[in-house]
């Protein structure tokens, strides 16, 4: 399979966007809100990229169940290893900080329900792990539809579910869905994973890709501006809830992906492309460093003072980003040496 450098190139900006979302305060001056909205392309792009490469493998291996089994096993292993890691970290914090250790431990482990652990990916301070559970379930559903050659039906179903999921996001002023969150496999991950699959297998999408890459990049930028406007209108004007994805996010993700597919060599040989190829590692580990340093700042009683400072937030973002990347790289080296 031909290497698509441009996807890893965009993944660099996507994982940087994720760190920005988790560091920059949502409230405050309007600029912070705009930054948050601009960054919302990140996780949808990760889902789409995962779906695209999964579909490519399915094509090569004739929808092999063994590849699905290996892929899900790999993702599950990553998820449970880091779930345990964050749980241990959380318990250590409770032991260090709690005035009533037994009560706080009971409250903490009460959140470890089957639904939270196996579907929502919730329960620990590693809140970002939801992406892995959503991707696992989305991939399993996608495989079933690929196997029966019904991916077009799934695409229609998944986009309907995604649009319904908006009612659990910024569109709550119309109807608030009675679910804990729509940032999950069914309403969020499934559509964008399926979108990536359709990019790989649907001949009509391949024809659309004939438009120049620079045109798609321009359309992605225009739709990003629309996404910011959509988020601002819903949240600040119409009094909706804070949205983690929007209707316009679909267009931003699609145009970015078309740009990547039309410019496969973009980023070849660049350092940021190498970093983008390790986006999952940064994604998984950065919340640990973020929470750890935030606890130190709270202890020093300076977190609130710094949180509204733009220069500090830029520095803090870069600090967490680079610590996470080089820590992940070091872990990979150790893992390789242990295997040998």
């Amino acid at each position: 399979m031909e290497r698509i450098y441009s996807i890893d190139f965009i993944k660099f900006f996507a994982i940087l966007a994720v760190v920005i979302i988790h560091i920059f305060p949502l409230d405050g001056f309007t600029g912070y809100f705009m930054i948050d909205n601009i960054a919302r392309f990140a996780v949808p792009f990760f889902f789409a990229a995962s779906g695209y490469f999964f579909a490519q493998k399915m094509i090569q291996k004739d929808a092999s169940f063994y590849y699905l089994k290996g892929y899900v096993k790999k993702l599950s292993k990553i998820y449970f290893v880091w779930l345990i890691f964050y749980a241990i970290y959380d318990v250590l914090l409770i032991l260090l900080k709690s005035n009533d250790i037994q009560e706080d431990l009971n409250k903490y482990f009460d959140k470890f329900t089957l639904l939270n652990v196996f579907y929502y990916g919730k329960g620990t301070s590693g809140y970002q792990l939801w992406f892995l559970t959503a991707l696992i379930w989305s991939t399993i559903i996608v495989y079933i539809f690929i196997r029966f050659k019904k991916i077009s039906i799934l695409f229609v179903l998944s986009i309907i579910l995604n649009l319904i999921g908006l009612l659990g996001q910024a569109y709550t002023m119309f109807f608030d869905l009675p679910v804990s969150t729509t940032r999950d496999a069914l309403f969020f991950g499934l559509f964008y994973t399926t979108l990536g699959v359709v990019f790989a297998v649907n001949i009509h999408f391949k024809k659309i890709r004939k438009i120049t890459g620079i045109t798609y990049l321009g359309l992605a930028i225009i739709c990003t501006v629309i996404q910011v406007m959509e988020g601002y209108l819903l949240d600040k004007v119409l009094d909706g809830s804070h949205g983690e994805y929007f209707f316009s996010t679909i267009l931003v993700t699609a145009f970015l992906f078309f740009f990547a597919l039309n410019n496969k060599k973009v980023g070849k040989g660049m350092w940021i492309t190498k970093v983008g190829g390790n986006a999952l590692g940064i994604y998984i580990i950065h919340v640990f460093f973020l929470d750890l340093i935030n606890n130190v700042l709270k202890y020093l009683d300076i977190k609130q003072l710094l949180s509204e400072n733009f220069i500090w937030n830029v520095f803090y973002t870069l600090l967490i980003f680079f610590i996470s990347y080089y820590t992940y790289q070091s872990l990979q080296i150790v893992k390789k040496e242990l295997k040998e």
Side-chain angles (χ1 to χ4, degrees):
M1 185 167 59
E2 182 186 1
R3 180 72 183 273
I4 307 177
Y5 296 95
S6 53
I7 289 181
D8 284 342
F9 178 78
I10 295 174
K11 276 185 177 182
F12 171 85
F13 297 100
I15 190 57
L16 182 61
V18 169
V19 179
I20 287 171
I21 288 170
H22 292 160
I23 288 178
F24 276 68
L26 177 61
D27 295 320
F29 68 88
T30 304
Y32 282 157
F33 184 85
M34 292 174 63
I35 289 168
D36 182 271
N37 276 258
I38 291 170
R40 291 295 163 181
F41 78 94
V43 175
F45 189 85
F46 288 143
F47 277 120
S50 299
Y52 180 84
F53 289 120
F54 179 76
Q56 290 286 319
K57 288 291 185 181
M58 286 292 98
I59 293 169
Q60 291 178 7
K61 299 178 182 295
D62 193 26
S64 168
F65 174 75
Y66 293 102
Y67 177 75
L68 170 74
K69 183 179 176 182
Y71 184 68
V72 169
K73 183 179 179 181
K74 177 184 176 182
L75 290 176
S76 299
K77 185 178 179 181
I78 294 171
Y79 170 65
F80 283 108
V81 165
W82 285 98
L83 182 75
I84 293 168
F85 171 84
Y86 279 103
I88 293 172
Y89 168 71
D90 293 342
V91 169
L92 288 175
L93 282 183
I94 290 172
L95 295 176
L96 286 170
K97 297 165 60 177
S98 176
N99 293 321
D100 191 338
I101 292 174
Q102 189 60 52
E103 182 181 353
D104 287 343
L105 285 175
N106 289 337
K107 287 181 180 178
Y108 178 73
F109 285 109
D110 281 346
K111 294 181 291 185
F112 279 67
T113 63
L114 288 176
L115 194 61
N116 277 347
V117 172
F118 290 97
Y119 181 73
Y120 285 118
K122 298 195 299 186
T124 71
S125 60
Y127 50 82
Q128 83 287 12
L129 296 178
W130 73 269
F131 171 76
L132 289 170
T133 54
L135 181 58
I136 289 167
W137 288 113
S138 298
T139 303
I140 292 171
I141 296 169
V142 159
Y143 171 79
I144 294 169
F145 280 81
I146 288 178
R147 189 70 174 158
F148 290 99
K149 296 180 171 54
K150 300 294 183 181
I151 201 66
S152 297
I153 293 175
L154 179 61
F155 181 68
V156 174
L157 289 174
S158 66
I159 195 169
I160 291 171
L161 286 168
N162 184 259
L163 294 176
I164 292 172
L166 291 174
L167 297 174
Q169 294 292 318
Y171 285 79
T172 51
M173 78 286 288
F174 300 116
F175 179 77
D176 194 357
L177 287 180
V179 295
S180 62
T181 179
T182 60
R183 188 191 64 177
D184 64 352
L186 192 63
F187 295 107
F188 187 16
L190 181 60
F191 167 67
Y192 285 103
T193 305
T194 305
L195 185 65
V197 172
V198 171
F199 287 147
V201 302
N202 191 292
I203 189 169
H204 299 295
F205 275 83
K206 290 180 180 179
K207 289 178 180 178
I208 295 173
R209 276 164 43 190
K210 291 180 180 179
I211 300 173
T212 62
I214 194 67
T215 301
Y216 281 127
L217 182 59
L219 288 171
I221 293 170
I222 291 170
C223 289
T224 298
V225 174
I226 294 172
Q227 181 175 260
V228 172
M229 293 169 63
E230 181 182 1
Y232 186 86
L233 175 65
L234 293 167
D235 195 346
K236 303 300 183 182
V237 179
L238 299 179
D239 199 28
S241 300
H242 170 58
E244 294 168 307
Y245 60 94
F246 306 92
F247 175 77
S248 50
T249 308
I250 298 171
L251 300 176
V252 176
T253 307
F255 290 138
L256 269 179
F257 217 91
F258 282 137
F259 168 76
L261 294 178
N262 277 17
N263 298 270
K264 296 180 180 180
K265 301 296 183 182
V266 169
K268 182 178 180 180
M270 295 177 66
W271 177 79
I272 63 174
T273 304
K274 178 185 175 183
V275 175
N278 293 286
L280 181 59
I282 300 170
Y283 181 88
I284 289 169
I285 203 170
H286 82 278
V287 170
F288 165 68
F289 289 112
L290 182 58
D291 191 78
L292 187 66
I293 296 175
N294 279 346
N295 275 300
V296 173
L297 296 176
K298 286 177 184 177
Y299 178 78
L300 297 174
D301 199 26
I302 57 174
K303 185 179 185 300
Q304 191 63 37
L305 179 67
L306 293 172
S307 65
E308 294 294 329
N309 188 289
F310 179 78
I311 295 175
W312 162 255
N313 285 321
V314 171
F315 168 76
Y316 196 18
T317 297
L318 296 176
L319 175 67
I320 294 295
F321 186 86
F322 287 112
I323 289 176
S324 301
Y325 172 67
Y326 286 111
T327 300
Y328 175 73
Q329 288 293 90
S330 299
L331 289 174
Q332 293 303 104
I333 293 170
V334 171
K335 181 181 176 182
K336 185 178 179 181
E337 289 180 350
L338 288 174
K339 284 184 177 180
E340 293 176 353

